[in-house]
Every structure is written in structure tokens, then in C-alpha cells.
Amino acid sequence: MAPPAGKRVKGVQIYRPFIYGTTARPFNETDNPRPAGVPPDHTHSWQVFVKGVDDTDIFYWLRRVQFKLHESIPNHLRTIDAETIIKDNEGKPPSQRQKAFVVNETGWGEFEITIRLYYDSRSSEKPQTLYHHLRLHPYGRTEAEKEAMRNGGEVVAWVYEEQLFNEPFEDFYKILTTGARDKNTSTGGKGKGKGKNAQPASGDSGSEVKERSAMIPLTNRPGQPFSRETEQLEIKRLKEAEEKVNQMVLEMTKSVKAKEAELAALKKAAAAAASNA
């Protein structure tokens, strides 16, 4: 890899949110029949993916993703290139464009998938590796959560992540910080100059997520479980858990002090008895 041009932008950190994970559906005769040619012992269709939050564009900073599947699966090492996706999307309406690095498969067993991320060459960032467990069966912290997933017909195992670029090089910094716009709008041209006329995002005040920004939705909706609302609920859960742990520590401290006082009394009584013997 050739060294990037320019200098690093000192004291600057830029992050981009994204999602990775798997979605699995059991085969059935109504809405997910087993396709022709699929082995009879395969019980589910599933996909593994890396995509932007709210299906926003991540191809401008993430250029390639490699998925390492179980070795029993033919062609178990799958590499998806952003350039190929972008080319296939040309001429398609926004609703039909592929917006994720994705692999679709079928199978019967769960296993760990290795996900390798390759960034734009101008970033000079080394590839990063993620690990994700393919889930085919409903799971959750409670039986109610498992039942809800079972009734939903899909086993969703998604992870929210943020990619941090620390002191990016000047060229890559420009890529990250220009071209923010409303979703499904034109970039204002093609080739190297595309995006230069796009309207920049004005902040996180609107309900719509901007392309090429660090924004996430304000509220949850079907198919989009990550938002500011999710963040606040998680903060609330953490605070409640912290309060519970603090109460447990307080009760344990009181119990320990009582036991220590009891032990001291027993030792004192034992010493008195020994001196009177």
C-alpha cells in the first residue's frame, strides 16, 4: 500500500456508525419455502452483513469486507467489494440499490463468522477483524424476549458499532467531512468530483438521517433497532443496574460489619473464659 498523501489532521477524531450481524429465518411452506437445490437437512436461510445505520452509505470509507464462514460451506471465504456493488447499483432506483456488504446462505448449524474490514486506501488504516456468532434459534435475556423473536419469524442478531478514525490524513479527512446530504439525493456529479456540490448536513436536529454523516435515527422503527431512543433506554438500564449494585454493596457492607462485630465479641468472650480458667 502506497503511503497516503498529505499530513494527518492533528487533534481530530471522526467516527462513523455502522451495523453488522446476521438475520435467520426457518424454512416453512408459507413465506419462506426451501429453494430448489438446497439440501434437505438445511433448516434455515440466513444472511450476514455489514451496513450503515438506517441503510446509509458506508462505501465511501469501507471498501471491502471479507466473511469467513464455516469450512464445511463451499467457498467459505467470501469477499465483497464496494466497487462491484456501486457498479451494479448504477441506473437502479434508490429502493432497489444494494446498501450493504452481504452474504446469503442456508444451513442447519450455528457457528462463529470472522468479518474482516478493509478501508479506503487513502485512510492508511489497517484492516480490522470482527467476530460474530450466527444465531438460528430464538434467544434473549428473558423467555418473553425469546417468544417475541419466535413470533416475529426472524432471528435477529445485530450489533451497533462505531468506527473511529483518529487524526486522519488530509485526503481522507476531506472524504469523511464533505458530501453530507439528505438520503436518496444526487451526489452532484460523477467520478472524482462527485459529492462536491452536495448540500452539507446542518446537524442532528432533524428526524431524517443524513448520508455521509455520523447521525443515527432519533427513534426506533421496524427494521431499525438502533437510535437515540435505544441509547437513552440503554443508559437508563445501566443506571438502574448501577443503583442495584450499589444497594447490594451497601447491604453486603452492613452484613460484613455485623459479622465482624459478632466475631470480635466471640473472641472477647473466649479470651475472658480463658483468663478465668
Tab-separated table of all heavy atoms in Angstrom, residues 203-233:
chain	number	residue	atom	x	y	z
A	203	GLY	N	-26.664	19.358	10.979
A	203	GLY	CA	-26.617	18.911	12.370
A	203	GLY	C	-27.530	17.729	12.581
A	203	GLY	O	-27.999	17.106	11.646
A	204	ASP	N	-27.815	17.434	13.846
A	204	ASP	CA	-28.576	16.251	14.201
A	204	ASP	C	-29.961	16.627	14.678
A	204	ASP	O	-30.555	15.946	15.480
A	204	ASP	CB	-27.827	15.483	15.294
A	204	ASP	CG	-28.318	14.049	15.434
A	204	ASP	OD1	-29.125	13.590	14.612
A	204	ASP	OD2	-27.920	13.399	16.391
A	205	SER	N	-30.489	17.768	14.217
A	205	SER	CA	-31.744	18.257	14.739
A	205	SER	C	-32.954	17.666	14.029
A	205	SER	O	-34.048	17.652	14.573
A	205	SER	CB	-31.795	19.787	14.608
A	205	SER	OG	-31.627	20.180	13.248
A	206	GLY	N	-32.788	17.177	12.806
A	206	GLY	CA	-33.917	16.656	12.069
A	206	GLY	C	-34.187	15.201	12.394
A	206	GLY	O	-33.417	14.526	13.058
A	207	SER	N	-35.326	14.711	11.886
A	207	SER	CA	-35.689	13.319	12.127
A	207	SER	C	-35.081	12.406	11.089
A	207	SER	O	-35.060	11.196	11.269
A	207	SER	CB	-37.218	13.179	12.110
A	207	SER	OG	-37.735	13.569	10.848
A	208	GLU	N	-34.606	12.944	9.990
A	208	GLU	CA	-34.030	12.157	8.917
A	208	GLU	C	-32.509	12.098	9.045
A	208	GLU	O	-31.863	13.108	9.257
A	208	GLU	CB	-34.405	12.759	7.560
A	208	GLU	CG	-33.819	12.017	6.370
A	208	GLU	CD	-34.453	10.650	6.182
A	208	GLU	OE1	-35.590	10.468	6.652
A	208	GLU	OE2	-33.814	9.789	5.564
A	209	VAL	N	-31.963	10.898	8.904
A	209	VAL	CA	-30.518	10.719	8.978
A	209	VAL	C	-29.887	11.190	7.674
A	209	VAL	O	-30.389	10.913	6.582
A	209	VAL	CB	-30.176	9.235	9.226
A	209	VAL	CG1	-28.683	9.004	9.133
A	209	VAL	CG2	-30.692	8.811	10.592
A	210	LYS	N	-28.788	11.904	7.762
A	210	LYS	CA	-28.070	12.381	6.587
A	210	LYS	C	-27.093	11.313	6.087
A	210	LYS	O	-26.505	10.571	6.880
A	210	LYS	CB	-27.291	13.648	6.920
A	210	LYS	CG	-28.137	14.827	7.409
A	210	LYS	CD	-28.885	15.485	6.283
A	210	LYS	CE	-29.584	16.750	6.774
A	210	LYS	NZ	-30.329	17.421	5.700
A	211	GLU	N	-26.927	11.268	4.768
A	211	GLU	CA	-25.867	10.446	4.194
A	211	GLU	C	-24.512	11.066	4.542
A	211	GLU	O	-24.388	12.276	4.708
A	211	GLU	CB	-26.022	10.369	2.681
A	211	GLU	CG	-27.236	9.572	2.217
A	211	GLU	CD	-27.012	8.074	2.282
A	211	GLU	OE1	-26.002	7.637	2.867
A	211	GLU	OE2	-27.863	7.334	1.747
A	212	ARG	N	-23.508	10.206	4.635
A	212	ARG	CA	-22.129	10.640	4.885
A	212	ARG	C	-22.028	11.527	6.132
A	212	ARG	O	-21.418	12.602	6.114
A	212	ARG	CB	-21.561	11.365	3.665
A	212	ARG	CG	-21.492	10.468	2.438
A	212	ARG	CD	-20.558	11.018	1.389
A	212	ARG	NE	-20.376	10.056	0.316
A	212	ARG	CZ	-19.283	9.977	-0.450
A	212	ARG	NH1	-18.282	10.802	-0.234
A	212	ARG	NH2	-19.203	9.086	-1.418
A	213	SER	N	-22.642	11.065	7.199
A	213	SER	CA	-22.590	11.776	8.473
A	213	SER	C	-22.510	10.750	9.596
A	213	SER	O	-22.536	9.547	9.350
A	213	SER	CB	-23.827	12.662	8.662
A	213	SER	OG	-24.965	11.878	8.967
A	214	ALA	N	-22.419	11.244	10.827
A	214	ALA	CA	-22.390	10.369	11.993
A	214	ALA	C	-23.751	10.301	12.676
A	214	ALA	O	-23.856	9.817	13.794
A	214	ALA	CB	-21.339	10.869	12.995
A	215	MET	N	-24.789	10.753	11.998
A	215	MET	CA	-26.128	10.787	12.583
A	215	MET	C	-26.738	9.391	12.664
A	215	MET	O	-26.448	8.519	11.839
A	215	MET	CB	-27.039	11.688	11.751
A	215	MET	CG	-26.635	13.138	11.722
A	215	MET	SD	-27.575	14.093	10.498
A	215	MET	CE	-29.232	13.943	11.153
A	216	ILE	N	-27.580	9.189	13.681
A	216	ILE	CA	-28.394	7.987	13.783
A	216	ILE	C	-29.839	8.438	14.012
A	216	ILE	O	-30.077	9.567	14.433
A	216	ILE	CB	-27.921	7.047	14.916
A	216	ILE	CG1	-28.047	7.732	16.283
A	216	ILE	CG2	-26.490	6.588	14.671
A	216	ILE	CD1	-27.715	6.808	17.450
A	217	PRO	N	-30.826	7.581	13.727
A	217	PRO	CA	-32.226	7.992	13.884
A	217	PRO	C	-32.555	8.418	15.315
A	217	PRO	O	-31.921	7.963	16.276
A	217	PRO	CB	-33.010	6.733	13.496
A	217	PRO	CG	-32.078	5.961	12.626
A	217	PRO	CD	-30.708	6.222	13.167
A	218	LEU	N	-33.567	9.278	15.438
A	218	LEU	CA	-33.997	9.726	16.764
A	218	LEU	C	-34.813	8.673	17.482
A	218	LEU	O	-34.751	8.556	18.711
A	218	LEU	CB	-34.807	11.016	16.638
A	218	LEU	CG	-34.069	12.235	16.066
A	218	LEU	CD1	-35.021	13.412	15.958
A	218	LEU	CD2	-32.873	12.598	16.945
A	219	THR	N	-35.606	7.889	16.735
A	219	THR	CA	-36.479	6.891	17.343
A	219	THR	C	-36.357	5.556	16.616
A	219	THR	O	-35.911	5.496	15.467
A	219	THR	CB	-37.951	7.345	17.307
A	219	THR	OG1	-38.337	7.578	15.944
A	219	THR	CG2	-38.142	8.634	18.106
A	220	ASN	N	-36.785	4.497	17.297
A	220	ASN	CA	-36.799	3.172	16.701
A	220	ASN	C	-37.986	3.017	15.757
A	220	ASN	O	-38.989	3.712	15.880
A	220	ASN	CB	-36.896	2.099	17.784
A	220	ASN	CG	-35.665	2.048	18.660
A	220	ASN	OD1	-34.645	2.636	18.337
A	220	ASN	ND2	-35.766	1.353	19.775
A	221	ARG	N	-37.853	2.082	14.827
A	221	ARG	CA	-38.959	1.683	13.971
A	221	ARG	C	-38.654	0.280	13.464
A	221	ARG	O	-37.528	-0.207	13.609
A	221	ARG	CB	-39.130	2.660	12.821
A	221	ARG	CG	-37.959	2.777	11.859
A	221	ARG	CD	-38.300	3.751	10.725
A	221	ARG	NE	-37.234	3.866	9.769
A	221	ARG	CZ	-36.206	4.705	9.878
A	221	ARG	NH1	-36.110	5.494	10.940
A	221	ARG	NH2	-35.281	4.769	8.945
A	222	PRO	N	-39.640	-0.403	12.902
A	222	PRO	CA	-39.397	-1.767	12.409
A	222	PRO	C	-38.214	-1.832	11.453
A	222	PRO	O	-38.112	-1.037	10.522
A	222	PRO	CB	-40.724	-2.115	11.696
A	222	PRO	CG	-41.741	-1.302	12.412
A	222	PRO	CD	-41.050	-0.003	12.755
A	223	GLY	N	-37.310	-2.759	11.715
A	223	GLY	CA	-36.125	-2.903	10.884
A	223	GLY	C	-34.999	-1.966	11.223
A	223	GLY	O	-33.926	-2.041	10.629
A	224	GLN	N	-35.218	-1.079	12.196
A	224	GLN	CA	-34.183	-0.130	12.611
A	224	GLN	C	-34.194	-0.042	14.146
A	224	GLN	O	-34.852	0.825	14.732
A	224	GLN	CB	-34.436	1.235	11.983
A	224	GLN	CG	-33.427	2.305	12.396
A	224	GLN	CD	-32.004	1.828	12.310
A	224	GLN	OE1	-31.376	1.537	13.324
A	224	GLN	NE2	-31.475	1.708	11.101
A	225	PRO	N	-33.465	-0.947	14.801
A	225	PRO	CA	-33.492	-1.002	16.270
A	225	PRO	C	-32.483	-0.091	16.962
A	225	PRO	O	-32.458	-0.053	18.197
A	225	PRO	CB	-33.165	-2.473	16.550
A	225	PRO	CG	-32.243	-2.848	15.429
A	225	PRO	CD	-32.715	-2.077	14.219
A	226	PHE	N	-31.672	0.639	16.196
A	226	PHE	CA	-30.637	1.468	16.816
A	226	PHE	C	-30.940	2.945	16.574
A	226	PHE	O	-31.079	3.384	15.436
A	226	PHE	CB	-29.260	1.117	16.259
A	226	PHE	CG	-28.898	-0.332	16.442
A	226	PHE	CD1	-28.908	-1.206	15.367
A	226	PHE	CD2	-28.570	-0.819	17.696
A	226	PHE	CE1	-28.593	-2.541	15.534
A	226	PHE	CE2	-28.245	-2.154	17.871
A	226	PHE	CZ	-28.264	-3.021	16.790
A	227	SER	N	-31.033	3.707	17.666
A	227	SER	CA	-31.411	5.112	17.564
A	227	SER	C	-31.027	5.826	18.845
A	227	SER	O	-30.508	5.219	19.799
A	227	SER	CB	-32.917	5.245	17.333
A	227	SER	OG	-33.615	4.786	18.488
A	228	ARG	N	-31.292	7.143	18.881
A	228	ARG	CA	-31.096	7.896	20.127
A	228	ARG	C	-32.008	7.348	21.222
A	228	ARG	O	-31.639	7.346	22.401
A	228	ARG	CB	-31.399	9.375	19.895
A	228	ARG	CG	-30.486	10.053	18.888
A	228	ARG	CD	-29.049	10.055	19.340
A	228	ARG	NE	-28.187	10.750	18.400
A	228	ARG	CZ	-26.856	10.656	18.390
A	228	ARG	NH1	-26.253	9.879	19.266
A	228	ARG	NH2	-26.144	11.329	17.508
A	229	GLU	N	-33.187	6.890	20.821
A	229	GLU	CA	-34.117	6.291	21.782
A	229	GLU	C	-33.508	5.040	22.414
A	229	GLU	O	-33.559	4.851	23.630
A	229	GLU	CB	-35.426	5.935	21.075
A	229	GLU	CG	-36.469	5.302	21.974
A	229	GLU	CD	-37.717	4.894	21.205
A	229	GLU	OE1	-37.697	4.930	19.957
A	229	GLU	OE2	-38.710	4.541	21.856
A	230	THR	N	-32.900	4.178	21.588
A	230	THR	CA	-32.218	2.987	22.097
A	230	THR	C	-31.107	3.370	23.056
A	230	THR	O	-30.917	2.747	24.104
A	230	THR	CB	-31.625	2.175	20.933
A	230	THR	OG1	-32.630	1.938	19.966
A	230	THR	CG2	-31.056	0.854	21.425
A	231	GLU	N	-30.368	4.399	22.694
A	231	GLU	CA	-29.252	4.869	23.510
A	231	GLU	C	-29.738	5.301	24.883
A	231	GLU	O	-29.142	4.943	25.909
A	231	GLU	CB	-28.567	6.028	22.787
A	231	GLU	CG	-27.299	6.531	23.429
A	231	GLU	CD	-26.669	7.629	22.601
A	231	GLU	OE1	-27.306	8.695	22.442
A	231	GLU	OE2	-25.556	7.427	22.099
A	232	GLN	N	-30.838	6.056	24.927
A	232	GLN	CA	-31.372	6.523	26.201
A	232	GLN	C	-31.906	5.363	27.049
A	232	GLN	O	-31.742	5.356	28.274
A	232	GLN	CB	-32.480	7.551	25.954
A	232	GLN	CG	-31.983	8.860	25.357
A	232	GLN	CD	-30.904	9.515	26.211
A	232	GLN	OE1	-31.048	9.639	27.436
A	232	GLN	NE2	-29.821	9.938	25.575
A	233	LEU	N	-32.539	4.391	26.406
A	233	LEU	CA	-33.021	3.223	27.137
A	233	LEU	C	-31.864	2.424	27.728
A	233	LEU	O	-31.954	1.908	28.848
A	233	LEU	CB	-33.858	2.332	26.209
A	233	LEU	CG	-35.221	2.887	25.791
A	233	LEU	CD1	-35.857	1.984	24.737
A	233	LEU	CD2	-36.143	3.023	27.001
